[in-house]
Amino acid sequence: MAQCSILLLFLGDVTRDRRVQNFARYFESEGWAVEVIAIQPTIPRGPRKFLEYHRRIQNEVREKQTDVVMACDLYSLSAAAWMKRHGRAQVLLYDARELYTELPAVANKPIVKFVWRTLERRGLIETNLIIVTAPNDADAILRVHNFLPRPILVRNMPWREPDLKPDRAILDRFGIPNDEKTVAYLGGLQQGRGLEKLIEAMTPSPYHDGGRHIVHLVLIGDGNLRARLEARATSNVHFARSMQSDEALRVVASCDVGISLVEPVSASYALALPSKHFEYMMCGIPIVSSNISQVLDLFRNEEWVTFVNERDANSISTGIQKALANSDRTDLREREKYLALSEYHFEHDATRLSAVLKNILI
């Protein structure tokens, strides 16, 4: 079979999006000719941002020819569908990395929700394979549109990294002493992530000893909640801003516990299977998690996951203390890391996608 080509379309900065990087990296490792077109609009938000992106991406793809075009988000789906309709791509992949029509941002905006649903529906008509990030997502999207192309599960997991090891010197930049415990949060600083309750949970006396902080929190990411969180945080809370994915994982691997407190504020969040769970696993650190259904389905019996009430600061505080105790258990951390390296990594799921694509293109 001759070398296949794939064109990935994405709204955003690829250097800060591990999922797009992983798709490109995987297809290159399989011998595909890979091209990525990623555009960051000059307008930061609102309808004009998406109109600018739509115009620019349409201009970019107008003269392209490829075997497979992949819309790495909903915003790229129209351009990818145009390529498929006009014979500029044999196969269209749509990475439905979110339940876009069920996100909190559109929950109370029926007109915006209608627009996204309409755009997604039109793109799905041309789509050969839809990629979902969690087992129940396909049924949820089917309920929105009443039809669905063939779904393929590729969870939002990190690349297999057997050499990720803790390096406490990395935490020197935050002024965290080597003998003090550190909790990591990796992700956007935005509503629906339990962050305000997390900040509250970091202030009670169990985390202090005679005025000295003995447990620290490092928030790796940025977002519209940052200023509000900074105003409430004590000096043992450190803001690292967003980082390139490799650097972020090195920081996380140097911490003792990972936090994931998704609030079920919308259907999309209620069905979330957050990437940070798998990132923490690859780093081999115990996890404090909210009780969302698809996480429970996978990990309810794993001792290295402590489930808490994300709306209750006391529950979060108790969960952190339990997870910190688990961080001293070598057996738990070795099992967690073993599972990450054997099954919960990007290449594991991407292999199925590659096989299906090759069969279609034969």
Side-chain angles (χ1 to χ4, degrees):
M1 183 176 177
Q3 184 184 44
C4 298
S5 60
I6 184 167
L7 174 64
L8 283 67
L9 309 179
F10 178 63
L11 187 160
D13 180 0
V14 171
T15 67
R16 298 186 185 277
D17 191 278
R18 191 201 64 247
R19 187 166 175 85
V20 177
Q21 292 176 32
N22 282 348
F23 275 117
R25 182 177 178 181
Y26 182 79
F27 282 112
E28 286 174 350
S29 73
E30 289 289 294
W32 290 60
V34 178
E35 182 179 359
V36 180
I37 299 177
I39 295 174
Q40 296 186 76
T42 58
I43 301 167
R45 63 182 61 86
R48 291 174 60 210
K49 168 185 175 179
F50 299 107
L51 287 172
E52 179 194 344
Y53 177 70
H54 178 71
R55 175 181 56 79
R56 290 174 62 185
I57 198 69
Q58 287 285 1
N59 288 336
E60 288 281 348
V61 304
R62 195 167 301 278
E63 303 302 324
K64 296 291 183 181
Q65 189 77 43
T66 186
D67 294 315
V68 179
V69 60
M70 179 173 174
C72 295
D73 47 43
L74 171 60
Y75 320 114
S76 308
L77 185 55
S78 293
W82 181 90
M83 291 187 70
K84 173 77 182 306
R85 260 193 315 271
H86 289 81
R88 297 192 170 277
Q90 295 181 52
V91 176
L92 192 162
L93 294 181
Y94 169 38
D95 186 22
R97 56 166 66 192
E98 303 272 8
L99 299 179
Y100 288 98
T101 63
E102 309 303 320
L103 287 168
V106 303
N108 298 313
K109 298 177 181 178
I111 295 176
V112 177
K113 188 171 183 174
F114 173 78
V115 169
W116 288 135
R117 185 170 63 244
T118 301
L119 289 174
E120 187 170 56
R121 183 180 184 86
R122 288 176 179 172
L124 285 174
I125 291 171
E126 301 292 339
T127 298
N128 298 89
L129 297 169
I130 181 170
I131 304 169
V132 294
T133 62
N136 297 332
D137 286 6
D139 286 341
I141 299 171
L142 176 61
R143 287 194 293 272
V144 171
H145 299 291
N146 296 319
F147 77 98
L148 196 71
R150 178 178 176 178
I152 297 287
L153 176 66
V154 181
R155 290 166 291 192
N156 202 3
M157 300 186 290
W159 199 261
R160 190 177 185 275
E161 298 285 357
D163 297 326
L164 267 176
K165 293 181 174 60
D167 178 6
R168 295 293 293 192
I170 288 176
L171 302 181
D172 288 348
R173 72 179 81 171
F174 308 113
I176 300 174
N178 286 339
D179 61 342
E180 296 179 5
K181 296 289 189 178
T182 306
V183 176
Y185 168 82
L186 180 58
L189 305 185
Q190 59 199 56
Q191 297 285 354
R193 307 296 178 91
L195 294 174
E196 290 176 278
K197 289 297 181 183
L198 174 59
I199 295 292
E200 183 181 340
M202 291 302 299
T203 59
S205 56
Y207 301 126
H208 300 75
D209 180 14
R212 181 176 70 94
H213 295 301
I214 57 174
V215 177
H216 297 257
L217 169 64
V218 176
L219 297 160
I220 307 167
D222 220 332
N224 55 20
L225 268 189
R226 182 186 176 95
R228 193 159 151 188
L229 296 174
E230 285 180 325
R232 297 185 178 192
T234 50
S235 59
N236 62 328
V237 178
H238 311 271
F239 292 82
R241 293 194 178 275
S242 59
M243 303 176 182
Q244 293 189 5
S245 57
D246 290 347
E247 181 185 7
L249 281 182
R250 287 195 296 272
V251 174
V252 171
S254 302
C255 297
D256 301 286
V257 167
I259 299 285
S260 179
L261 300 174
V262 175
E263 303 172 52
V265 294
S266 70
S268 178
Y269 277 27
L271 284 174
L273 185 56
S275 60
K276 55 181 66 66
H277 280 77
F278 303 112
E279 290 162 332
Y280 299 149
M281 287 179 66
M282 191 61 67
C283 294
I285 61 173
I287 302 168
V288 175
S289 173
S290 50
N291 291 279
I292 48 179
S293 63
Q294 298 207 77
V295 175
L296 283 167
D297 288 346
L298 279 181
F299 302 125
R300 74 170 74 239
N301 296 320
E302 298 292 352
E303 288 186 81
W304 40 266
V305 182
T306 301
F307 290 100
V308 300
N309 180 351
E310 73 284 350
R311 294 188 174 94
D312 183 348
N314 289 329
S315 176
I316 296 169
S317 177
T318 301
I320 290 173
Q321 292 175 63
K322 180 178 178 181
L324 286 170
N326 284 338
S327 71
D328 294 325
R329 289 187 55 184
T330 304
D331 61 324
L332 289 186
R333 297 183 67 160
E334 286 181 348
R335 170 171 168 74
E336 179 185 20
K337 183 76 172 181
Y338 169 79
L339 287 172
L341 293 175
S342 61
E343 179 179 354
Y344 294 109
H345 57 86
F346 185 84
E347 305 96 300
H348 178 274
D349 284 7
T351 300
R352 294 193 294 266
L353 172 63
S354 178
V356 171
L357 280 176
K358 287 176 180 177
N359 283 335
I360 292 175
L361 290 170
I362 289 174

